[in-house]
Amino acid sequence: MAKLKKQGWGVILAATAVLLTTACGSGAGGGAGTKDGDSKQAQSPEQTPPKPVELVFYDGGGDWPAERFQREIGEPIKKKFPHITPTFVPYTNGKKVQEMITAGQQLDVIFSSTGLVYNNVLQYNLQYDITPLIQKYKYDLNQIEPMAVDQLKQLANGGMYGLPVFMSPSPLYYNKDIFNKFGVAYPKDGMTWDELYTLAKQLTREEGGVQYRGFFASISHLARLNQLSYRTVDPATNKATLDNDNWKAFMNNIVRFYEIPGYKMDANLTFVTNKRNKFIQEKSVAMWLPVSTQHTAQELADLNWDIASFPVDKQKPGVGPQPYPNAFWLTSISKEKDAAFQAIAYLASESFQLPGVKRGEFVSALKSETLRKSFGQESDLYKGKNVKAMLPASFAPAVPITRFNSIAESNLLTAFNDIILGKKDVNTALRSADEASNKKVQEELSK
C-alpha cells in the first residue's frame, strides 16, 4: 500500500511539472500572456535571445542621406530591437533594385512614396502581402490615415504590401517679404482657388528690374494628387482618361495663373526645379505649392516664410489633396520577414514617431491628433509658423495606382506645358496627351 502511494505521488508530481513547463512556455506562441507571465518568461534562464538579424533597407526615392537614415531610422530600430542590425542602401539610379536582384544581394525593405511603388517594387515582382503578419503581430491599421490605408489596399487587391509611415506634406509656402512689399494680406487657411488666383494677380508685377510672379506649383504632383480624385488611367481597361471635361476643368483652373500678364513663361520655367529656385533662391515668387515637399532649414534659411493650407475646391470645401505617403514595403525575397515587419510596425507607431515629429524631421502618416499638434514643437525652424497647415484637415480619396499612371501623368504635364507656352489649346493638348498615353501603354503591353 505504501509503495502504491509513493508511486501515485510520483506520477502527480511529474504531471504537475509538465503542466508548469507547458504554462511557462505558452507565452511564446501566438497568445497574449499576462504581465506576470511575461515577467516570468523574461526571467527564465531557458529563454533564448532572438538570433542576430541584418535587415537591408533601400531608399527608393533618394530623400534619405545615410547619416539621416542612421539617425532617424537605423539607431531607433537598433535600440528597440538589439538583435536587429539595419543596413542602409542609398538610391543611386533607377535600376538599383534590378542590380541588387541580379547580384543576389539581400533586400528586405524598400521605402518610397506610393507614386514610386511601381518603379521600385511592382515592376520587379517584389510585392508581398503582409496581412498575415499584421494579424500575427496585432498591428492596428486604424492608427493610420484611413485614405492612405485605402490606397494601399486598392494596390494589393484588399491586402497590404507595406505600411505607410511618413506623409508628404502639402502646405502652400509663401514669401512674407513680397506680400509686405506690395501691401497684400497673407494667405489664409481654407482659401479657395479663386481667392488664391486673386492674390496671384495682385502680386504679379515688375519692380526694380525684378519680375515678381504670384504663384508657382509642381504641376505633376498637383495632377497626381488632385483633390477631386480624377483618374489618369482606368484600371479596368488600362486606357487613359485625360480627354474629358474633368481634366479640362483642372487645366483651366491652373492654366489661368500662368496666363496672368507678367508671367512671361518660357521652356526653362516648365521645369519644377527652376520654379522652386524662383521661390527659394531668387525670392521672386510670392507663393509656392510643391504639393509633396517639406523644405529643409537650409533651403529656407534666408527666406521670410510661412505656410497656409492647401487651397480648396468649391465643389469639396475642406478637402485637401489625395494622400501621398512614404511607405515601407516588405519584399518577397526577404528571408527575415518577421523581423522586418516588426521593425516596420515600430516605425509606424506613435511612440517611435513622436520625438521626430516634435523636431520637425518628418510628418506622420498616422492620424494621431497628438502627432499633428506636436509637429515642430522642438524646432527653431517652425517656431511661430502655421504648422497645422502641413497637412489638410481631410484627404481626398486616393485613385487606384496602376503601372501606367506615370505614363499618363507625364503626358498630362506635357499637355500643360504646351498650353502655357501657347503651342496648343486645352482641348487639343488633352486629346494629344490621351492618344500618346494609350499608344505608349499598348507598346508596354506588347513587350
Side-chain angles (χ1 to χ4, degrees), residues 74-110:
E75 291 175 8
I77 289 176
K78 186 68 176 176
K79 184 177 180 180
K80 177 70 174 178
F81 305 103
H83 66 292
I84 295 178
T85 300
T87 298
F88 173 70
V89 177
Y91 176 91
T92 53
N93 60 60
K95 297 181 180 180
K96 181 63 176 177
V97 173
Q98 181 63 68
E99 292 170 359
M100 294 179 71
I101 294 172
T102 301
Q105 295 177 356
Q106 182 179 347
L107 179 56
D108 300 289
V109 179
I110 297 172

Side-chain angles (χ1 to χ4, degrees), residues 11-65:
V11 171
I12 291 170
L13 289 171
T16 303
V18 170
L19 288 171
L20 287 172
T21 302
T22 305
C24 287
S26 63
T34 64
K35 289 185 178 179
D36 288 341
D38 291 345
S39 175
K40 290 176 183 177
Q41 186 180 5
Q43 295 170 6
S44 171
E46 298 177 2
Q47 180 77 13
T48 57
K51 68 173 183 177
V53 171
E54 179 189 21
L55 294 180
V56 175
F57 290 74
Y58 171 66
D59 175 12
D63 297 324
W64 288 78

Side-chain angles (χ1 to χ4, degrees), residues 106-125:
Q106 182 179 347
L107 179 56
D108 300 289
V109 179
I110 297 172
F111 54 106
S112 78
S113 67
T114 49
L116 294 174
V117 65
Y118 177 76
N119 294 351
N120 288 312
V121 181
L122 301 182
Q123 72 167 321
Y124 303 113
N125 201 31

